[in-house]
């Protein structure tokens, strides 16, 4: 089984999970096979509440991802969660020009992928 399988299984259930390293307590997103801080492979999974604030973002006007071509412009953001981890994802449900640093967002899923909507 892939070390990333629990992440994708949770997404299919409409749940976002993050990893925590049991050796150094570092929280990890996007999923990894080992801790980027200490290298341990002792990682656990935990659900997050599903709300946060935009830390930073970019608006994509020309996608290098074939499946996203024709959807431009779209917004990608790093979102700070109250659980103490920063997660990556798309911001949907608003125009790119309405996204700002500090914008409160809430989790939803589209095609089993976690995305963020303005709260």
């Amino acid at each position: 089984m892939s070390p990333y399988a629990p992440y994708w299984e949770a997404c299919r259930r409409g749940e976002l999970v993050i990893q925590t390293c049991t050796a150094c307590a570092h929280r990890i997103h996007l999923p990894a096979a080992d801790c980027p801080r200490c290298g341990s492979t002792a990682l656990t999974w935990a659900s997050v509440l599903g709300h946060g604030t935009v830390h930073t973002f970019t608006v994509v006007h020309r996608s290098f991802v074939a499946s996203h071509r024709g959807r431009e412009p779209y917004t990608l953001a790093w979102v700070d969660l109250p659980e103490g981890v920063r997660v990556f994802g798309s911001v949907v449900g608003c125009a790119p020009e309405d996204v700002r640093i500090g914008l409160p967002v809430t989790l939803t899923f589209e095609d089993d992928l976690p995305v963020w909507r303005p709260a």
Side-chain angles (χ1 to χ4, degrees):
M1 172 157 71
S2 163
Y4 314 108
Y7 178 82
W8 294 114
E9 290 167 7
C11 286
R12 282 191 289 281
R13 293 189 308 267
E15 177 183 8
L16 182 61
V17 294
I18 59 163
Q19 292 172 300
T20 301
C21 176
T22 60
C24 74
H26 181 63
R27 294 188 177 178
I28 305 161
H29 187 267
L30 299 162
D34 52 34
C35 177
R37 182 176 285 163
C38 74
S40 173
T41 57
L43 306 174
T44 61
W45 295 91
S47 297
V48 296
L49 295 174
H51 61 84
T53 57
V54 172
H55 174 78
T56 192
F57 67 95
T58 189
V59 177
V60 178
H61 293 277
R62 184 174 176 171
S63 181
F64 61 90
V65 178
S67 63
H68 284 69
R69 289 191 191 122
R71 297 184 192 184
E72 302 96 330
Y74 59 91
T75 306
L76 297 174
W78 283 103
V79 175
D80 289 331
L81 303 183
E83 291 87 357
V85 66
R86 188 170 289 151
V87 300
F88 186 75
S90 296
V91 178
V92 301
C94 67
E97 58 268 17
D98 294 332
V99 177
R100 60 179 167 69
I101 293 172
L103 177 71
V105 290
T106 185
L107 177 67
T108 189
F109 288 83
E110 291 183 358
D111 300 322
D112 294 333
L113 294 174
V115 296
W116 300 91
R117 290 189 177 279

